[in-house]
Amino acid sequence: MKIDLNLLPVFIAVAEERNFSAAAARLGVTRSAISQGIRRLEDAFGTMLVMRTTRSVTLTEAGERLRQSLSSPLSSIETAFEEVASENMPRGCLRIAVTSIAEAFLSGPLIASFAAANPAVTVDIVVTDEEFDIVAAGYDAGVRLGEVIEKDMIAVALTEKQREMAVASPAYLATNNAPAHPRELIHHRCIGWRPAKDVAPYRWEFEEAGEPFSLAIEPQITTNDLRLMLRLALAGGGITFATEDTFRPFVETGQLVSLLDDYLPYFPGFYLYFPQRRNMAPKLRVLIDHVRQWRQQHI
């Protein structure tokens, strides 16, 4: 492997400053020179060392190993190069932040089949509905609805278009007339969702004659747990509201009844998203390929 040792101070500056502009100022060069230097180093290794977005810079696993190895005596530098170069095989820890409503990703089969096919990759999944910079937080990828993914991210479709669904159990509807219009929901017991205790319950979004509108429902029961909402609806606790994937199996078996279908439009579905493709770590590349294959087989 041929490595330009003059690029190592560039990498070390970026690793310590976590900012291209600060690294450039430290070395007395332009920001462009820093960016090109990191790219040349990544090309030499054949793997990504630094994840960068318009908001943040952080090291990949390979980059962190290189940083640690370069802090050893110079005699170990050659070993460091070989360790990073071995990234051509999928291995290491893959950290993914997933929204709680991504049923297709969290249902089990997709992740289980990926783990079986890639035994050297460990998968650390955090289910969260907080909005944050996944790169700055140290994640390799995330799963969210397409409409809320940052524009500088690369996104791979996980599902078809989605829509919300309002549902209730037959037992609830036996003693309560089904609403004919969303505004009739004020007369019903509703089960709502919010991501955190200090956040107002999620507004239920509808569309009429092509015009979108939302309602601030006042739920009798509010939770941040989608599974609890589902269980309460199945138990006759009232009307609840979430993505179609969550309720569809129960609607098909008759355990739940879909309501207000004419007022619920479709919108972009769920995507696996991540920063830039160049010199992507093999562990992330195989996940992307797996998601694409899974989608072809199941949609």
Side-chain angles (χ1 to χ4, degrees), residues 28 146 239 270:
I239 299 175
F270 292 97

Side-chain angles (χ1 to χ4, degrees), residues 157-189:
L158 175 65
T159 69
E160 295 290 296
K161 288 184 177 180
Q162 295 285 301
R163 69 167 182 157
E164 304 280 14
M165 183 179 277
V167 298
S169 70
Y172 176 82
L173 296 174
T175 56
N176 299 270
N177 293 328
H181 190 279
R183 291 191 174 85
E184 294 180 14
L185 289 167
I186 61 173
H187 304 301
H188 287 267
R189 296 201 308 274

Side-chain angles (χ1 to χ4, degrees), residues 204-250:
W204 293 13
E205 299 178 346
F206 301 94
E207 184 176 284
E208 185 173 18
E211 293 296 325
F213 67 97
S214 63
L215 298 176
I217 303 297
E218 296 183 5
Q220 184 177 8
I221 304 172
T222 305
T223 179
N224 69 335
D225 188 338
L226 189 63
R227 297 296 178 269
L228 178 57
M229 292 166 58
L230 173 60
R231 295 188 189 105
L232 288 169
L234 290 168
I239 299 175
T240 194
F241 192 83
T243 51
E244 186 174 27
D245 280 357
T246 301
F247 300 134
R248 176 57 63 191
F250 302 93

Side-chain angles (χ1 to χ4, degrees), residues 24-224:
R26 171 171 157 178
L27 297 178
V29 298
T30 65
R31 189 185 186 285
S32 176
I34 294 291
S35 179
Q36 291 174 13
I38 293 296
R39 178 167 293 183
R40 287 170 55 199
L41 199 57
E42 289 176 329
D43 287 344
F45 286 130
T47 192
M48 188 164 62
L49 302 173
V50 178
M51 290 193 294
R52 53 275 207 191
T53 70
T54 55
R55 297 172 301 281
S56 63
V57 172
T58 189
L59 299 182
T60 64
E61 272 191 311
E64 183 59 33
R65 286 201 303 275
L66 179 60
R67 184 196 67 78
Q68 292 175 2
S69 296
L70 289 177
S71 65
S72 302
L74 290 177
S75 60
S76 67
I77 290 180
E78 184 176 348
T79 301
F81 290 161
E82 296 305 320
E83 287 181 359
V84 175
S86 68
E87 275 284 292
N88 60 341
M89 292 296 293
R91 66 184 179 87
C93 182
L94 191 59
R95 300 189 66 217
I96 313 169
V98 184
T99 177
S100 67
I101 60 175
E103 185 70 22
F105 193 87
L106 296 174
S107 61
L110 188 155
I111 301 168
S113 58
F114 173 79
N118 299 276
V121 178
T122 59
V123 186
D124 184 355
I125 297 171
V126 172
V127 179
T128 175
D129 294 300
E130 295 182 29
E131 295 186 12
F132 58 89
D133 181 349
I134 60 170
V135 174
Y139 290 92
D140 297 287
V143 177
R144 297 178 70 184
L145 287 170
E147 60 188 14
V148 294
I149 295 174
E150 293 85 353
K151 299 300 184 184
D152 60 348
M153 291 288 172
I154 306 299
V156 173
L158 175 65
T159 69
E160 295 290 296
K161 288 184 177 180
Q162 295 285 301
R163 69 167 182 157
E164 304 280 14
M165 183 179 277
V167 298
S169 70
Y172 176 82
L173 296 174
T175 56
N176 299 270
N177 293 328
H181 190 279
R183 291 191 174 85
E184 294 180 14
L185 289 167
I186 61 173
H187 304 301
H188 287 267
R189 296 201 308 274
C190 293
I191 304 160
W193 178 88
R194 62 180 171 188
K197 66 178 182 178
D198 297 325
V199 179
Y202 177 75
R203 294 175 68 93
W204 293 13
E205 299 178 346
F206 301 94
E207 184 176 284
E208 185 173 18
E211 293 296 325
F213 67 97
S214 63
L215 298 176
I217 303 297
E218 296 183 5
Q220 184 177 8
I221 304 172
T222 305
T223 179
N224 69 335

Side-chain angles (χ1 to χ4, degrees), residues 251-263:
V251 171
E252 291 175 348
T253 60
Q255 294 172 273
L256 293 173
V257 177
S258 181
L259 308 170
L260 304 169
D261 289 337
D262 292 341
Y263 300 92

